[in-house]
């Protein structure tokens, strides 16, 4: 930069243009400090010479550099200065600046309304110019922002329009970018068939423009789609393909996402230790890169910790996630995954005092999918709150979506919750209906090879009252439930709470609660006394 400023060039414009070119080259090569110096020099040079439009280009380049460096406030100021310098000019540059400012305001500032206004302005300028590629890019920006604001239908409509324009103008790179946003939006909107079709379109466009960056997430997402539907072999195949792509990329975020998708597959397979190991790697990568995406995955690690009996560790992660969530608008899509994970955590750990607040946070996402069907989580919470009619409606909606989209993993959990509702409400035929729901859920979990969930459902089936006309079972001593008998037998064998939890696929906190209830019912003060009771009763 110093050399350029000291060299005599034919005109002030030529000197400024060289500085702008240097800034662009430095930015593309990852030299942010050099890029910032070049753009600042260009900005100052053009302003001194009264060339406002060219000065705006310097401010715009500086804004992009600052944003890439994580300096959000400075980037926003530079973008706003660029627009101020352009004044009423409505050219291609103005459309790009409005679009980038829109993305910054939404992605980094969470200012959705103003962000959408700038995206709409970018689109208006592009349409006024009659520039179809520019219109496609602006529509993509607007569509993605609508999606993040949880205006899914409007977002998908804009993205569909953007894809149509990108295809019409034979721009495969733009079409691939549009498909990336569209794929996630339609999956969140519970249209898994459309999501699969969009993923295949994305692969086609990415291969046409020979850019692996466009493939950074698509194979991992296909793996999740297949796993949710119970197609575990196909899921593994897609993960293998994803691994090949991710290994060739410098950006660490796709690798973090790949580990998260492997965690999802381990979850549905019942390998909770592997689930925790994989999602923990996701978090390690994101912490090292200081990525904002941390908020999407922290809750999943907290939930996996509970499934592995590490409740205290899960609570620490939960608290960190809740702290991060304070910066997000509740109804925005980035919050949806976090609230879904927090609900899973609270339900698994028995922290029912947190459920009313989480229920309210989840309501804006009814009819959607965020690592679990929102309606089934709402239904599970409503059962605990004894809101029977609301729970029935939520679980009806969840079951309808799960059957329509063949989401067998969520269907199994939804059926188990339907059994909970039948047993909680009681009434004629409730046990028979609960038994049918549990039997179908058991068979679904078995098809996933998920032994832990299958054992849990089998135990619940054993605990059901006998069917009408059946031979009554012998009452358990001291009024112990069948699950408490299971815990007592293992306790009498000298197993710790952790070992009991692993054997019965329960959390340690749940086992501790069972042990406390057992002591109260049999009048025991410690484990030795409880073991002696079990021996006297012939339970071991």
């Amino acid at each position: 930069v110093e050399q350029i400023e000291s060299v005599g060039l034919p005109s002030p414009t030529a000197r400024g243009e060289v500085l702008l070119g240097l800034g662009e080259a430095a930015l593309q090569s990852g030299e942010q400090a050099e890029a910032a110096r070049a753009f600042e020099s260009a900005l100052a040079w053009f302003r001194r010479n009264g060339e406002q439009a060219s000065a705006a280009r310097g401010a715009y380049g500086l804004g992009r550099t600052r944003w890439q460096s994580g300096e959000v406030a400075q980037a926003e100021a530079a973008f706003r200065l660029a627009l101020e310098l352009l004044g009423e000019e409505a050219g291609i540059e103005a459309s790009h600046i409005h679009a980038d400012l829109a993305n910054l305001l939404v992605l980094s500032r969470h200012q959705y309304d103003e962000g959408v206004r700038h995206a709409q302005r970018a689109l208006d300028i592009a349409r006024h110019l009659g520039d179809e590629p520019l219109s496609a890019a602006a529509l993509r920006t607007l569509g993605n922002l609508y999606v993040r604001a949880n205006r899914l239908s409007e977002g998908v409509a804009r993205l569909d329009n953007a894809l149509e324009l990108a295809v019409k103008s034979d721009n495969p790179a733009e079409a691939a970018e549009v498909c990336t946003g569209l794929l996630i939006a339609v999956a969140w909107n519970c249209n898994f068939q459309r999501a699969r079709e969009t993923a295949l379109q994305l692969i086609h466009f990415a291969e046409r423009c020979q850019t692996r960056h466009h493939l950074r997430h698509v194979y991992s997402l296909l793996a999740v789609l297949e796993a949710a539907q119970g197609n575990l072999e196909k899921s593994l195949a897609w993960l293998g393909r994803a691994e090949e792509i991710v290994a060739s990329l410098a950006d660490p975020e796709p690798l973090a996402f790949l580990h998260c998708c492997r965690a999802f597959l381990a979850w549905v397979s019942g390998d909770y230790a592997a689930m925790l190991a994989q999602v923990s790697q996701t978090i390690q990568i994101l912490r090292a890169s200081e990525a904002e995406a941390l908020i999407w995955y922290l809750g999943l690690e907290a939930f996996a910790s509970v499934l592995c009996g590490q409740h205290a560790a899960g609570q620490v992660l939960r608290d960190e996630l809740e702290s991060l969530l304070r910066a997000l608008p509740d109804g925005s899509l980035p919050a949806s995954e976090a609230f879904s994970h927090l609900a899973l955590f609270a339900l698994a750990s028995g922290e029912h005092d947190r459920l009313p607040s989480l229920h309210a946070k989840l309501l804006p996402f009814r009819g959607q999918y965020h690592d679990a069907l929102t309606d089934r989580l709402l239904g599970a919470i409503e059962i605990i709150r004894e809101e029977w009619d609301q729970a029935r409606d939520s679980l009806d909606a969840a079951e309808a979506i799960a059957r329509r989209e063949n989401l067998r993993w969520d269907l199994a959990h939804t059926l188990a919750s339907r059994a909970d509702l039948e047993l909680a409400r009681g009434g004629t035929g409730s046990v028979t209906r609960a038994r049918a729901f549990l039997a179908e859920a058991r068979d679904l979990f078995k098809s996933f090879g998920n032994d832990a969930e299958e054992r849990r459902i089998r135990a619940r089936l054993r605990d059901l009252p006998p069917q009408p006309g059946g031979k009554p079972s012998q009452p358990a001593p001291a009024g112990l439930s069948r699950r408490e008998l299971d815990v007592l037998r293992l306790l009498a064998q000298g197993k710790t709470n952790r070992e009991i939890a692993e054997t019965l696929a329960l959390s340690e906190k749940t086992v501790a609660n069972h042990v406390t209830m057992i002591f109260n019912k049999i009048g025991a003060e410690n484990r030795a006394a409880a073991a002696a009771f079990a021996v006297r009763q012939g339970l071991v």
Side-chain angles (χ1 to χ4, degrees), residues 332-353:
S332 63
L333 261 299
S336 62
E337 301 277 325
F339 289 133
S340 181
H341 296 153
L342 288 173
L344 289 165
F345 177 91
L347 289 165
S349 61
E351 295 185 349
H352 293 171
D353 58 314

Side-chain angles (χ1 to χ4, degrees), residues 48 66 76 132 164 172 227 336 341 343 373 376 414 418 462 486 527:
R48 282 200 302 270
R66 295 301 189 199
E76 180 183 349
E132 288 188 345
E164 182 181 349
S336 62
H341 296 153
L373 287 171
R376 83 163 169 90
T414 301
R418 299 211 75 142
R462 288 196 305 270
D486 292 337
R527 298 174 85 89

Side-chain angles (χ1 to χ4, degrees), residues 222-223 226-227 231-242 262 265 269:
L222 279 167
E226 297 292 354
N231 305 319
L232 302 189
E233 289 187 9
K234 288 184 179 180
S235 179
L236 282 169
W238 286 125
L239 285 173
R241 185 73 181 105
R262 287 195 178 280
L265 180 60
S269 302

Side-chain angles (χ1 to χ4, degrees), residues 202 206-207 209-219 241-249 254:
L202 170 54
E207 289 176 345
C209 60
Q210 298 182 337
T211 307
R212 287 203 155 200
H213 176 72
H214 291 309
L215 299 172
R216 62 195 181 277
H217 294 139
V218 65
Y219 293 112
R241 185 73 181 105
E243 210 164 55
E244 296 173 19
I245 298 296
V246 167
S248 67
L249 301 175

Side-chain angles (χ1 to χ4, degrees), residues 476-482 484-485 488 517-518 521-522 533 539:
L480 295 172
S481 70
R482 183 175 291 277
E484 288 165 350
L485 286 173
L488 179 56
M517 290 299 297
I518 291 167
K521 287 182 178 182
I522 68 177
F533 175 88
L539 299 176

